[in-house]
Amino acid sequence: MMPVEVLLGIAIGAVALLLLLVIKLKVPAYLALLIVALGTALVTPIPLAETVPTLIEGMGKTLGSVMIIVGLGAMLGRAIEVARGAESLATFFTGKFGVKRVVSAVTVAAFVLGIPVFFDVGFLIFAPIIFGFALVAKINPLKIGLPVASVLIIVHVALPPHPGPVAAAEILGVDSGFMLIVALPLCAVTCVLGYLAVRKFKLEGIEMLDSPAARAVKANGAQPKIGSGAVVGVDPKAPSAGLVSVLILLPIALIMAGTVGTMLIAKESIANTVSGIIGSSSVALLIAVIFAYIVLSRQQGWNAQKRSEIFEGALPLVAIIVFVTGAGGVFANVLVKSGIGSALSNALIASNMPVILAAFVIAAALRISQGSATVAILTTAGLITAPVAAAGYTPLQACLVTIAMCFGAAGFSHVNDSGYWIVTRYLGLSVKDGLRTWTLYSTIFGVIGFLLTWATFGIVTATM
């Protein structure tokens, strides 16, 4: 086993090399990620014979969960976009709430609707809404997309029924229902403060690369422009705001129903199994796409050829997202298999810092080192189980430590995180711009959440 210092040095060097290749030398991100992943595998303790299988495993694990939902999400978004449904919805709500409240309204919706939905699924569902509202209100899509993504990642890491917090609660002996009650107000306040902290950030100088966001804007003959209060008209043939809302809410409702069903129905029953299948992200999105295929085709008068062109045409538009996301998974898997994450977390445990601070820092360090928020949460939970038990915490204190740990996995999203590539590629951000926007946004939200939780922990402890 290599010394901890050597492993950490390799990790830092790998990330630095990746940034050099992508930002300075303009090497395509997909190619750069594979080159750096292979190089890292060769100089770490991964057995030489396991090098290629490790790369393939990383690609397979990532695309196994991402490829289906990205493809289906792209089809659903493309159909709504071509039918000008997002503009219809945006025009309706802009008229109701006013242009100045558009970003706030969409961000609040993301918080509520993101509770039962995985981060990447939620972002893909919200993508057409982001583009439509940006066009109608003449707002740069980044002004909406980045806060929405930030809210979704906070909900994803800290609120049950998402897998990370549920599993962490089980490992640490915290009731997941109690954790939801405690974490919900903390997440709500975190999102409000985080939004207030980032809404004044200057995004005017960022040039959007070719992406679904940029294409959605250009296809409608408009360029992103911040600060304009003009509202454009909507095509009279566009689907109603109500129909578009149904199309967007359908997969979310199915996922929520499936989640509740599996919790309430007897686990060994057929009904529980069926509920789990229908409520899975992939099946819920598939049902929504089929529904959109039938309803929008009839409403828009698309013939068989037109339908095929629209739905199949969505896949090439997200091909780069799929490939780069998969390559990010390859790099992340190499970092996990090499032992870099474990070495870092063990070093932090040995520092004897307060348990709640250690929980946050270890989760953040694992998030930085290997990319996956869920893996960071689960690994940290296992590492701090003994310190939490030894501290003799009350159920509320243990719950707050768990939530603080989850917030540690919210921020610091960068090039080894598949979610980083989904957000940046959809919004047309270069690697450099992604690091100074999405990485910064996610970190600000995560740190605010932790500070709120730590302050609450202090108050609870002081009143005992």
Side-chain angles (χ1 to χ4, degrees):
M1 184 67 179
M2 286 185 175
V4 174
E5 295 79 7
V6 175
L7 285 173
L8 297 183
I10 291 173
I12 294 171
V15 173
L17 176 59
L18 180 59
L19 296 179
L20 174 66
L21 290 174
V22 175
I23 296 175
K24 292 295 183 181
L25 302 181
K26 306 299 181 185
V27 176
Y30 177 72
L31 181 59
L33 281 163
L34 293 181
I35 292 172
V36 174
L38 175 59
T40 304
L42 291 174
V43 299
T44 53
I46 296 175
L48 190 61
E50 295 297 319
T51 299
V52 174
T54 298
L55 303 182
I56 295 174
E57 181 187 29
M59 180 70 76
K61 287 195 303 186
T62 303
L63 292 188
S65 60
V66 169
M67 198 165 188
I68 295 176
I69 58 175
V70 168
L72 292 173
M75 284 184 169
L76 181 61
R78 178 65 174 167
I80 293 174
E81 175 193 334
V82 172
R84 300 178 75 90
E87 294 173 46
S88 175
L89 186 68
T91 300
F92 175 80
F93 282 103
T94 301
K96 290 289 185 180
F97 299 107
V99 174
K100 293 183 178 180
R101 298 186 182 92
V102 165
V103 181
S104 301
V106 178
T107 305
V108 170
F111 179 86
V112 176
L113 300 180
I115 292 175
V117 181
F118 284 12
F119 169 76
D120 42 10
V121 178
F123 187 78
L124 291 173
I125 291 174
F126 268 92
I129 304 177
I130 293 168
F131 307 152
F133 273 70
L135 173 66
V136 169
K138 295 293 183 182
I139 299 174
N140 187 323
L142 300 178
K143 279 287 187 179
I144 306 178
L146 289 170
V148 164
S150 301
V151 166
L152 289 174
I153 193 61
I154 287 295
V155 171
H156 179 78
V157 300
L159 290 183
H162 290 283
V166 169
E170 182 176 347
I171 292 171
L172 293 171
V174 175
D175 182 79
S176 59
F178 181 61
M179 181 176 175
L180 177 61
I181 294 172
V182 176
L184 191 59
L186 288 171
C187 287
V189 176
T190 295
C191 291
V192 171
L193 295 179
Y195 173 71
L196 293 175
V198 302
R199 67 174 180 172
K200 297 297 184 181
F201 282 14
K202 302 297 182 183
L203 302 173
E204 293 88 339
I206 296 176
E207 181 180 352
M208 293 171 61
L209 305 177
D210 182 40
S211 63
R215 283 192 293 267
V217 174
K218 293 178 182 177
N220 291 288
Q223 294 295 326
K225 182 180 179 182
I226 298 174
S228 172
V231 176
V232 300
V234 64
D235 190 330
K237 294 183 179 180
S240 67
L243 175 57
V244 178
S245 298
V246 170
L247 292 173
I248 293 169
L249 293 175
L250 178 59
I252 296 174
L254 290 173
I255 293 171
M256 181 179 292
T259 301
V260 173
T262 54
M263 293 173 63
L264 299 180
I265 303 173
K267 290 186 178 181
E268 302 300 326
S269 66
I270 296 177
N272 183 281
T273 302
V274 172
S275 179
I277 293 173
I278 294 176
S280 67
S281 301
S282 300
V283 174
L285 275 172
L286 178 60
I287 293 172
V289 170
I290 294 172
F291 183 73
Y293 184 88
I294 296 171
V295 174
L296 283 182
S297 296
R298 181 175 299 176
Q299 191 268 334
Q300 293 289 305
W302 295 335
N303 57 30
Q305 182 177 353
K306 181 69 172 178
R307 289 197 302 266
S308 178
E309 291 175 353
I310 292 172
F311 284 86
E312 288 185 357
L315 298 181
L317 298 177
V318 296
I320 184 62
I321 296 173
V322 171
F323 277 104
V324 173
T325 300
V330 172
F331 184 39
N333 197 51
V334 168
L335 294 176
V336 172
K337 295 289 185 179
S338 66
I340 289 173
S342 298
L344 181 58
S345 60
N346 290 334
L348 290 171
I349 286 179
S351 65
N352 295 319
M353 64 178 68
V355 174
I356 190 169
L357 178 59
F360 171 80
V361 173
I362 293 171
L366 288 170
R367 168 75 152 150
I368 294 169
S369 65
Q370 54 77 43
S372 170
T374 300
V375 171
I377 291 171
L378 297 182
T379 305
T380 306
L383 292 170
I384 68 169
T385 299
V388 169
Y393 289 141
T394 66
L396 178 56
Q397 287 175 309
C399 181
L400 289 170
V401 171
T402 306
I403 295 169
M405 174 190 68
C406 291
F407 281 131
F412 312 98
S413 172
H414 67 102
V415 292
N416 63 355
D417 173 24
S418 61
Y420 170 89
W421 296 106
I422 290 176
V423 172
T424 57
R425 293 305 176 185
Y426 251 89
L427 295 180
L429 293 167
S430 66
V431 172
K432 180 179 179 180
D433 289 332
L435 291 172
R436 66 189 185 96
T437 55
W438 168 236
T439 302
L440 181 60
Y441 274 58
S442 66
T443 302
I444 289 173
F445 274 70
V447 170
I448 289 175
F450 166 67
L451 292 177
L452 283 172
T453 307
W454 196 4
T456 304
F457 180 88
I459 294 172
V460 169
T461 302
T463 55
M464 291 178 59

